[in-house]
Amino acid sequence: SQTIHQWPATLVQPVGSPLSLECTVEGTSNPNLYWYRQAAGRGLQLLFYSVGIGQISSEVPQNLSASRPQDRQFILSSKKLLLSDSGFYLCAWSVGGADEKLFFGSGTQLSVL
Amino acid sequence: SQQGEEDPQALSIQEGENATMNCSYKTSINNLQWYRQNSGRGLVHLILIRSNEREKHSGRLRVTLDTSKKSSSLLITASRAADTASYFCATDPQGAQKLVFGQGTRLTINP
């Protein structure tokens, strides 16, 4: 069966420090991968999505970047965190195609202080 | 920009009552999905309804879709305390390779 791993669960980082969040998927090949951010009590904002290795689409200009070095690995990064980068980050995958549904990781709560 | 908007933003009912949440969207879609999120966790897919479908059932869940009004509703019958969560609708605008989520409805079931 397919599983998605996202870590860490919580992270507290100082302003100006780098960031690396990792997400891996098991049990499927060539998934579509997504990074979403959720502000407290709000909906999800799509940050990046990828339909294949090295293929990254950015939805919102910001202080973050994403990479997909392997088929089932998706990394969210920042060189220098801002206070506004705080939030709940969710990784998700889908098989693509019509009627695709997303499978989410357990999320990372990032606090930038 | 957000595609889906849920209504109400928050809903509190007694256990055993039915809960109805609504979602409106702006552009033509291929399908509409509903997700559930427990506090501090990832989202879990509940149900998908295609644009050519008008109603769909899954256990205690009933989803309707009115493409002429660009709206959908999620009904949870005989609610339980364990149904307490946030519920989100998500749409895939035609031509887009992504799901766009609404702001969600926070549902509280009081025992």
Side-chain angles (χ1 to χ4, degrees):
Chain A
S1 62
Q2 302 92 349
T3 56
I4 179 169
H5 302 280
Q6 184 181 347
W7 68 93
T10 59
L11 190 60
V12 180
Q13 292 284 105
V15 170
S17 64
L19 173 74
S20 181
L21 300 180
E22 187 167 343
C23 172
T24 60
V25 180
E26 296 178 356
T28 187
S29 297
N30 197 31
N32 291 348
L33 296 172
Y34 305 82
W35 279 111
Y36 284 88
R37 178 169 62 196
Q38 184 178 30
R42 302 296 301 279
L44 278 69
Q45 178 187 36
L46 179 62
L47 302 176
F48 302 95
Y49 68 95
S50 171
V51 299
I53 296 175
Q55 300 179 59
I56 309 293
S57 296
S58 174
E59 287 295 301
V60 182
Q62 58 208 319
N63 186 41
L64 301 169
S65 62
S67 62
R68 185 171 178 172
Q70 300 180 44
D71 180 43
R72 290 168 288 180
Q73 183 185 29
F74 207 21
I75 298 173
L76 183 68
S77 304
S78 173
K79 293 182 178 178
K80 289 184 177 182
L81 284 169
L82 306 172
L83 287 173
S84 58
D85 292 324
S86 294
F88 191 52
Y89 289 82
L90 289 158
C91 180
W93 72 273
S94 71
V95 295
D99 297 346
E100 65 173 337
K101 59 184 180 182
L102 296 182
F103 299 91
F104 283 84
S106 54
T108 295
Q109 183 64 54
L110 172 65
S111 298
V112 182
L113 305 177
Chain B
S1 62
Q2 295 293 343
Q3 162 81 321
E5 295 291 338
E6 284 91 342
D7 170 59
Q9 291 187 348
L11 178 63
S12 180
I13 61 173
Q14 294 300 119
E15 194 168 20
E17 295 179 339
N18 296 341
T20 299
M21 291 158 274
N22 303 296
C23 169
S24 60
Y25 57 93
K26 299 175 182 175
T27 65
S28 297
I29 60 173
N30 294 312
N31 65 61
L32 185 144
Q33 304 179 37
W34 285 90
Y35 289 78
R36 165 198 169 120
Q37 183 183 33
N38 284 46
S39 181
R41 306 299 300 274
L43 280 73
V44 176
H45 180 267
L46 294 176
I47 195 167
L48 179 151
I49 186 166
R50 298 186 181 90
S51 60
N52 62 353
E53 297 176 313
R54 291 297 168 258
E55 186 171 315
K56 202 162 184 179
H57 298 255
S58 177
R60 293 184 295 113
L61 305 181
R62 172 178 170 256
V63 170
T64 62
L65 179 64
D66 187 335
T67 53
S68 66
K69 295 181 180 179
K70 292 186 169 58
S71 67
S72 173
S73 67
L74 171 67
L75 168 68
I76 303 175
T77 61
S79 63
R80 306 167 182 169
D83 294 329
T84 294
S86 291
Y87 292 82
F88 296 87
C89 68
T91 56
D92 65 333
Q94 288 181 351
Q97 287 182 295
K98 57 189 179 183
L99 279 183
V100 181
F101 286 81
Q103 298 296 304
T105 293
R106 295 185 303 279
L107 175 65
T108 301
I109 309 298
N110 301 304

